[in-house]
């Protein structure tokens, strides 16, 4: 699917030009979403039986990195919306038909925190809740929502993802932030709606990589662990933002004159060191992602389960990747001088967007690193995001 990556690359100047407009709108312009659709990006991970490409996941992550290097908010939304067709492929065949039966370009947003409460009823669940941070929800007509299934005593007995059409939820415009302003990550409200059983998926099934969708989507792509695929979908945009910051910074520094010293910034050895340090951190973050996802994909292509220790390493390196990317952006920002503070400059937007991306729950470094450390010390780890 290198043609999709090439088409995305050709789109970068337009996305870069729209970056400030995206921030001002507080959502990605419809024109940008349509342009990405035309490249085939949103179908990279979609099942072939519903018009998708079932591509190598590295094509998807490479495309996300490119998009985020032009506009952080657009890259973030593209990554989240682009990952969801893969997850829908894990749902029962009827759920997939509900979404894609009439329009294979239908998109899904999400908010996975277990803020919903589901009560079992005949054929499914009654479902209620309020969720924050549903990135790109203005460009989707379905949503994945996290919720706890309650037993007869009112105690949780399961943690599931619930799939709802837009007729069953409301979007409340609350997104007004200092970073990732253009993601339109608004709130989702659901008030006592019925969700059929087949439009739910237990995290216990995703954790075991044994899901209803495997009956119809037999490609090895869908045997990858959900947490591995989704966590890198959150880390990759931040690496892309660092990449964009690096490209912007090095171009700027070649023209900048340091007024305080009367010398060209490019000739400052301290600036040269900071650039080298940032480049190394970005490369390290990306190389680990490529290696880990590539290794996991080789396992499923061979008909093997992804080893537990590799799943742990993916989560370890995912949070380290975001940390490295943030460190690189910080190094470049502090090397840019006072003019970098001006509103509208790309470097300060990348700096704000990257830091906003880092606070996503799945980028929480200590939790993921502690899980990895426990396994190395012989302790048992159970977590929905493995």
């Amino acid at each position: 699917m290198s043609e999709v990556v090439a088409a995305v690359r050709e789109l970068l100047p337009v996305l870069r030009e729209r970056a400030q407009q995206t921030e001002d709108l507080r959502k990605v312009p419809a024109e940008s979403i349509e342009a990405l659709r035309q490249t085939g990006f949103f179908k990279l991970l979609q099942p072939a039986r519903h018009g998708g490409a079932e591509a190598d996941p590295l094509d998807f992550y490479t495309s996300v990195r490119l998009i985020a290097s032009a506009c952080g908010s657009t890259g973030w939304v593209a990554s989240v919306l682009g990952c969801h067709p893969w997850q829908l492929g894990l749902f029962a065949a009827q759920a997939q038909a509900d979404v894609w039966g009439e329009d294979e370009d239908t998109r899904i947003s999400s908010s996975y925190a277990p803020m919903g409460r589901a009560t079992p009823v005949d054929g499914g669940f009654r479902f209620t809740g309020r969720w924050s941070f549903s990135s790109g929800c203005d460009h989707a007509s379905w949503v994945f929502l996290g919720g706890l299934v309650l037993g007869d005593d009112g105690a949780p007995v399961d943690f599931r993802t619930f799939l709802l059409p837009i007729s069953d939820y409301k979007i409340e415009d609350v997104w007004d932030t200092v970073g990732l302003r253009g993601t339109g990550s608004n709130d989702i409200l659901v008030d006592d709606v019925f969700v059929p059983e087949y439009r739910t998926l237990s995290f216990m099934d995703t954790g075991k990589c044994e899901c209803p969708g495997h009956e119809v989507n037999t490609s090895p792509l869908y045997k990858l662990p959900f947490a591995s695929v989704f966590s890198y979908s959150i880390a990759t945009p931040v690496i892309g933002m660092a990449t964009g910051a690096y490209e912007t910074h090095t171009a700027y520094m070649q023209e900048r004159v340091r007024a305080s010293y009367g010398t060209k910034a490019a000739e400052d050895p301290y600036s040269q060191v900071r650039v080298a340090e940032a480049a190394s951190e970005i490369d390290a973050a990306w190389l680990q992602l490529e290696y880990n996802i590539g290794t996991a994909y080789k396992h499923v292509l061979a008909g093997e389960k992804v080893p537990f220790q590799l799943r742990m390493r993916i989560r370890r390196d995912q949070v380290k990747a975001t940390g490295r990317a943030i460190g690189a952006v910080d190094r470049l920002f502090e090397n840019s001088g006072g003019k970098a503070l001006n509103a509208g400059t790309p470097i300060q937007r990348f700096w704000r967007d990257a830091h906003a991306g880092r606070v996503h729950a799945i980028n929480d470094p200590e939790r993921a690193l502690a899980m990895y450390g426990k396994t190395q010390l012989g302790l048992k780890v159970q977590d929905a995001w493995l």
Side-chain angles (χ1 to χ4, degrees):
M1 285 279 83
S2 58
E3 63 270 20
V4 174
V5 177
V8 167
R9 194 183 300 275
E10 290 180 4
L11 192 59
L12 298 187
V14 174
L15 299 180
R16 193 174 293 115
E17 186 177 330
R18 289 185 185 145
Q20 187 59 50
Q21 177 192 5
T22 301
E23 178 157 292
D24 294 340
L25 286 174
R26 295 185 298 113
K27 62 182 179 181
V28 178
E31 296 86 351
S32 295
I33 296 294
E34 173 59 18
L36 287 169
R37 185 196 67 79
Q38 291 180 12
T39 68
F41 167 79
F42 290 117
K43 289 188 176 178
L44 280 172
L45 301 184
Q46 190 161 315
R49 59 192 293 272
H50 284 293
E54 293 186 3
D56 186 317
L58 281 175
D59 283 348
F60 173 72
Y61 295 118
T62 299
S63 298
V64 169
R65 183 187 183 187
L66 288 169
I67 297 165
S69 74
C71 173
S73 288
T74 304
W76 184 274
V77 169
S79 192
V80 172
L81 296 184
C83 178
H84 291 157
W86 177 88
Q87 187 187 2
L88 182 56
L90 306 181
F91 276 69
Q94 184 58 55
Q96 298 173 50
D98 287 356
V99 175
W100 289 320
E102 295 184 1
D103 183 0
E104 292 177 338
D105 287 320
T106 300
R107 289 180 292 271
I108 310 165
S109 68
S110 69
S111 184
Y112 293 106
M115 304 304 294
R117 295 298 179 265
T119 303
V121 294
D122 186 29
F125 304 89
R126 301 302 304 184
F127 193 50
T128 297
R130 181 187 184 113
W131 295 258
S132 298
F133 313 123
S134 188
S135 300
C137 57
D138 288 313
H139 304 293
S141 53
W142 289 75
V143 68
F144 287 133
L145 298 172
L148 298 176
V149 177
L150 305 180
D152 293 337
D153 60 355
V157 295
D158 197 5
F159 175 20
R160 295 193 176 209
T161 299
F162 294 77
L163 172 64
L164 282 72
I166 197 167
S167 58
D168 284 352
Y169 63 89
K170 295 180 180 179
I171 299 172
E172 185 170 329
D173 186 350
V174 298
W175 192 247
D176 188 7
T177 57
V178 297
L180 291 177
R181 285 184 60 82
T183 61
S185 303
N186 289 305
D187 285 6
I188 303 293
L189 284 68
V190 174
D191 184 14
D192 190 29
V193 301
F194 173 73
V195 182
E197 169 80 25
Y198 71 84
R199 282 207 256 115
T200 73
L201 186 64
S202 173
F203 269 85
M204 289 187 286
D205 291 339
T206 59
K208 293 183 293 184
C209 297
E210 297 174 358
C211 301
H214 292 151
E215 295 181 10
V216 291
N217 297 321
T218 58
S219 166
L221 176 66
Y222 301 100
K223 299 298 177 64
L224 290 168
F226 167 74
S228 299
V229 174
F230 184 74
S231 64
Y232 269 147
S233 297
I234 298 301
T236 301
V238 183
I239 300 174
M241 294 168 209
T243 304
Y246 181 84
E247 293 169 349
T248 298
H249 179 77
T250 52
Y252 168 64
M253 292 296 282
Q254 292 177 47
E255 304 298 328
R256 180 187 172 208
V257 174
R258 302 195 68 179
S260 298
Y261 306 106
T263 59
K264 290 185 176 180
E267 297 173 351
D268 183 348
Y270 303 112
S271 293
Q272 296 161 2
V273 169
R274 289 168 179 159
V275 166
E277 289 175 336
S280 180
E281 291 300 287
I282 296 168
D283 284 349
W286 183 248
L287 288 170
Q288 282 189 310
L289 183 154
E290 279 189 313
Y291 178 75
N292 287 337
I293 286 296
T295 302
Y297 196 45
K298 286 178 182 177
H299 278 289
V300 295
L301 287 174
E304 304 166 352
K305 282 186 172 286
V306 177
F308 182 75
Q309 283 303 319
L310 176 54
R311 293 167 69 162
M312 290 297 310
R313 192 174 77 209
I314 286 172
R315 288 286 281 118
R316 178 199 71 185
D317 293 343
Q318 170 246 321
V319 296
K320 290 296 292 182
T322 59
R324 289 190 172 98
I326 292 293
V329 174
D330 285 349
R331 206 76 173 116
L332 296 168
F333 185 65
E334 70 185 23
N335 196 46
S336 294
K339 289 188 177 180
L341 298 171
N342 292 339
T345 60
I347 189 69
Q348 56 81 31
R349 185 168 54 245
F350 281 124
W351 184 83
R352 289 185 288 105
D353 287 348
H355 277 274
R358 179 59 186 271
V359 301
H360 189 287
I362 210 163
N363 281 334
D364 181 353
E366 288 80 12
R367 183 175 299 277
L369 296 177
M371 287 194 298
Y372 182 85
K374 283 181 179 179
T375 65
Q376 299 303 298
L377 298 173
L379 301 176
K380 189 176 182 179
V381 172
Q382 287 184 316
D383 192 279
W385 292 102
L386 281 177

